[in-house]
Amino acid sequence: MVVGEFAEHRELIIIGGGPGGYNAAIRAAQLGIQVTVIEQDQLGGTCLNRGCIPSKVFSHAAQQVASVADFQSFGICVGTPAVDFAQLISYKDQIIQRLRSGVENLCQANKVEIIRGRANFINDNRIGVELGHRFELFDFNQAIIATGSTAVMPSTIGENDRILVGHTVYELNEVPEELIVYGSDAYALEVACSFHKLGSAVSMVLDNKDFSFDHTINRELRRVLKKDKIKVYRGYQLEKVSSDSNYVQVGLLKNNQKEISLSGTHLYMATALQPATTSLELNRLGVKCSDHGFIQVDKQLRTSVPSIFAIGDVTGGTFSATKAMKQGKVAAEIIAGKPSEVDLTMMPTIVRSVPPIATVGLTEEEAKEQGFQVKTSQFSYSGNSYTMISNQKSGVAKVIKDNNSDLLLGVHTIGANAIELIGSGIIALEMAGRDEDLRFPLYPHPSYNEILLEAMEGLSDSAIHMKPVESQLEKSK
Ligand SMILES: Cc1cc2nc3c(=O)[nH]c(=O)nc-3n(C[C@H](O)[C@H](O)[C@H](O)COP(=O)(O)OP(=O)(O)OC[C@H]3O[C@@H](n4cnc5c(N)ncnc54)[C@H](O)[C@@H]3O)c2cc1C
Ligand SMILES: NC(=O)c1ccc[n+]([C@@H]2O[C@H](COP(=O)([O-])OP(=O)(O)OC[C@H]3O[C@@H](n4cnc5c(N)ncnc54)[C@H](O)[C@@H]3O)[C@@H](O)[C@H]2O)c1
């Protein structure tokens, strides 16, 4: 390997061009900083190339397949939908390519320098970059580590192309005939719903008794999964997995006793994640990390080494692009000398299942545990005129407030357009809104927005399209 003799100087170096890295880069450039991003693979990182974007192409296709069943009601005649998987993959690749070019163009327009190579630290002001057969050195004033995470497959599972994780499941070239999904998180649920609609026979195995949503959402989810004939096994631990070139066999334990065995053509496994730091030589810096190796940061994304910041999956906690992007912008602002910080309290959870789920804030159970005097209200999708028109009657929106202060604590929705609806909930919670703040505005009619309005009105027993509760009838006597 040819090693460069002199170290070139850069103001800010960002290692990793995923959503965390490129958001940090563009914000820093906007604030007048000279920025260099070092990326060993593709700009856009996991999210754009293997995660958020490909998974959403699949879930959108699944939603489209589901909606064909409604066409007949509108007098639109089409046959039974058939999925051309090769075309879907080609579409996914086109979307990734287009979005990636968009990120490249934005970086160029903001004069962000992109270096293609693998970076590692020499010391707390110097980075080495492997560029094919060359090794270049760069000094920097500040660096941001944005290298993401990788899935850890338990060593007992063994390797087989039929055993899939988040980073590989959307790279399949065929629709699995029989897919076993092991896990109860957002990723697993999305995999189950998407592949089910695309033609797989799906069984879901939950390691927990239920999903981790509010119990009202869990109940509606249980109903729709049952209606959709997705078989769900609850509270099972994975005991063993064996596989050959055609099948995967899974042994499951419940309370360490009853064993059942499932077999399918493919298995999706929810896995733990580890920080992508092995190639960085962090030991040369003395950056403080958690027991699992995630880099510890404060609310301004500073690590224990003053010249080094870290953002995104590599900092552990919640693994999401939403978080990585926000942290990227905040780190850049801090480096530019602006006051800024990250607060993840009102981080939404979204799942593009069929139907989708979107939640923000506390569940009813969490609010009670935290000692709030809780009042809840829920409005069923079937009571809304636009869900009736569009034949999307499955779903419910639930809102939770503190009865002492009237402050909103949580908004939870399952049903069509849930993810688009949650925006108002996020803003309301972030602005410390009360239910009256959300009852006051004018909501367009007829529209899905009115689902949230009616749920809010329900908190003061004043929803128009909800039957009166017993206590109200008593009062009016
Ligand atoms: C299937 C799936 C679906 C998902 N869906 C969603 C979703 O809907 N919503 C959501 O918010 N999140 C979602 N996520 C999570 C999201 O993708 C990640 O949280 C996000 O990509 C993390 O961003 P990041 O910038 O921290 O890291 P990454 O996106 O992983 O980017 C890190 C980059 O650093 C580069 N790199 C690593 N080491 C080096 C090195 N030494 N030198 C140079 N470059 C290096 C890598 O090549 C990579 O490009 C999903 C993930 C998966 C797998
Ligand atoms: N809709 C989605 O598919 C999706 C996917 C990922 C993240 N998100 C967002 O991430 C946030 C956190 O999600 P969470 O509440 O499930 O908590 P989390 O990020 O802490 O993850 C919980 C579990 O999800 C699994 N997981 C995490 N990252 C994964 C990955 N890259 N590939 C496969 N499995 C992975 C792991 O089993 C993990 O233990 C939420 O805000 C959610 O909106 C959504």
Side-chain angles (χ1 to χ4, degrees), residues 377-413:
S377 156
Q378 61 193 64
F379 188 75
S380 162
Y381 266 53
S382 58
N384 174 272
S385 54
Y386 207 82
T387 62
M388 197 63 78
I389 293 167
S390 52
N391 204 10
Q392 298 285 341
K393 293 172 298 238
S394 280
V396 60
K398 175 171 180 175
V399 292
I400 299 164
K401 75 167 180 177
D402 171 24
N403 221 8
N404 289 327
S405 62
D406 283 341
L407 281 174
L408 291 168
L409 300 174
V411 178
H412 306 265
T413 314

Side-chain angles (χ1 to χ4, degrees), residues 132-423:
H133 295 299
R134 285 183 300 129
F135 188 77
E136 300 282 351
L137 296 173
F138 296 90
D139 286 346
F140 57 84
N141 298 348
Q142 273 102 8
I144 301 178
I145 304 173
T147 49
S149 63
T150 53
V152 197
M153 188 65 102
S155 56
T156 48
I157 302 261
E159 279 192 21
N160 187 322
D161 288 350
R162 294 176 175 277
I163 303 176
L164 307 156
V165 294
H167 293 65
T168 53
V169 66
Y170 296 105
E171 312 227 300
L172 279 173
N173 290 319
E174 55 178 356
V175 180
E177 231 172 277
E178 297 159 327
L179 175 64
I180 303 168
V181 175
Y182 182 77
S184 48
D185 54 59
Y187 302 82
L189 186 53
E190 232 174 57
V191 168
C193 291
S194 294
F195 282 100
H196 172 66
K197 292 290 176 202
L198 295 174
S200 300
V202 174
S203 312
M204 262 198 111
V205 182
L206 310 191
D207 37 0
N208 299 317
K209 275 202 195 123
D210 213 336
F211 295 95
S212 57
F213 305 107
D214 182 281
H215 67 91
T216 306
I217 304 297
N218 280 346
R219 194 175 51 221
E220 180 65 0
L221 181 57
R222 214 174 299 142
R223 194 186 66 77
V224 292
L225 291 176
K226 190 170 175 193
K227 192 168 143 233
D228 250 358
K229 298 192 172 56
I230 296 182
K231 175 91 182 127
V232 184
Y233 298 84
R234 293 165 192 276
Y236 281 93
Q237 280 77 49
L238 196 63
E239 202 219 355
K240 56 175 186 275
V241 176
S242 51
S243 57
D244 58 27
S245 53
N246 294 312
Y247 280 99
V248 183
Q249 188 107 18
V250 177
L252 300 170
L253 288 182
K254 193 166 199 169
N255 303 327
N256 282 329
Q257 285 177 18
K258 193 177 148 201
E259 189 182 324
I260 58 167
S261 168
L262 299 177
S263 87
T265 55
H266 294 77
L267 166 68
Y268 168 86
M269 288 274 307
T271 53
L273 298 178
Q274 66 187 12
T277 49
T278 29
S279 62
L280 287 177
E281 307 282 2
L282 288 184
N283 53 318
R284 293 177 180 160
L285 301 179
V287 165
K288 272 200 192 134
C289 294
S290 71
D291 291 347
H292 294 289
F294 291 100
I295 301 176
Q296 291 183 355
V297 288
D298 64 15
K299 282 189 167 186
Q300 294 169 334
L301 294 319
R302 293 177 204 280
T303 68
S304 57
V305 175
S307 56
I308 316 277
F309 291 67
I311 57 174
D313 280 9
V314 79
T315 63
T318 293
F319 300 99
S320 105
T322 310
K323 179 186 93 166
M325 292 191 278
K326 181 70 177 174
Q327 288 184 326
K329 289 185 253 188
V330 169
E333 285 157 7
I334 294 296
I335 289 168
K338 306 259 171 222
S340 194
E341 67 172 38
V342 174
D343 183 347
L344 300 173
T345 318
M346 296 309 168
M347 169 106 162
T349 294
I350 57 144
V351 192
R352 291 210 183 255
S353 41
V354 185
I357 299 170
T359 84
V360 60
L362 302 179
T363 62
E364 184 177 342
E365 297 80 356
E366 288 165 344
K368 283 179 178 159
E369 270 167 30
Q370 292 188 20
F372 289 104
Q373 215 202 320
V374 169
K375 173 134 195 200
T376 71
S377 156
Q378 61 193 64
F379 188 75
S380 162
Y381 266 53
S382 58
N384 174 272
S385 54
Y386 207 82
T387 62
M388 197 63 78
I389 293 167
S390 52
N391 204 10
Q392 298 285 341
K393 293 172 298 238
S394 280
V396 60
K398 175 171 180 175
V399 292
I400 299 164
K401 75 167 180 177
D402 171 24
N403 221 8
N404 289 327
S405 62
D406 283 341
L407 281 174
L408 291 168
L409 300 174
V411 178
H412 306 265
T413 314
I414 177 171
N417 293 331
I419 294 163
E420 284 64 37
L421 280 182
I422 203 70

Side-chain angles (χ1 to χ4, degrees), residues 66-187:
S67 61
V68 173
D70 295 328
F71 282 10
Q72 235 182 345
S73 320
F74 297 90
I76 304 167
C77 302
V78 289
T80 311
V83 177
D84 177 348
F85 201 59
Q87 166 57 28
L88 179 62
I89 290 170
S90 145
Y91 182 70
K92 174 199 77 170
D93 292 342
Q94 271 175 45
I95 296 294
I96 291 173
Q97 181 57 49
R98 243 184 267 164
L99 289 172
R100 206 191 290 132
S101 312
V103 173
E104 280 162 3
N105 291 341
L106 278 174
C107 287
Q108 204 179 17
N110 281 285
K111 301 195 169 38
V112 172
E113 178 189 27
I114 309 288
I115 296 178
R116 307 280 173 172
R118 172 177 295 209
N120 62 55
F121 284 96
I122 309 296
N123 61 40
D124 58 3
N125 280 106
R126 180 168 287 187
I127 270 172
V129 184
E130 285 173 39
L131 303 148
H133 295 299
R134 285 183 300 129
F135 188 77
E136 300 282 351
L137 296 173
F138 296 90
D139 286 346
F140 57 84
N141 298 348
Q142 273 102 8
I144 301 178
I145 304 173
T147 49
S149 63
T150 53
V152 197
M153 188 65 102
S155 56
T156 48
I157 302 261
E159 279 192 21
N160 187 322
D161 288 350
R162 294 176 175 277
I163 303 176
L164 307 156
V165 294
H167 293 65
T168 53
V169 66
Y170 296 105
E171 312 227 300
L172 279 173
N173 290 319
E174 55 178 356
V175 180
E177 231 172 277
E178 297 159 327
L179 175 64
I180 303 168
V181 175
Y182 182 77
S184 48
D185 54 59
Y187 302 82

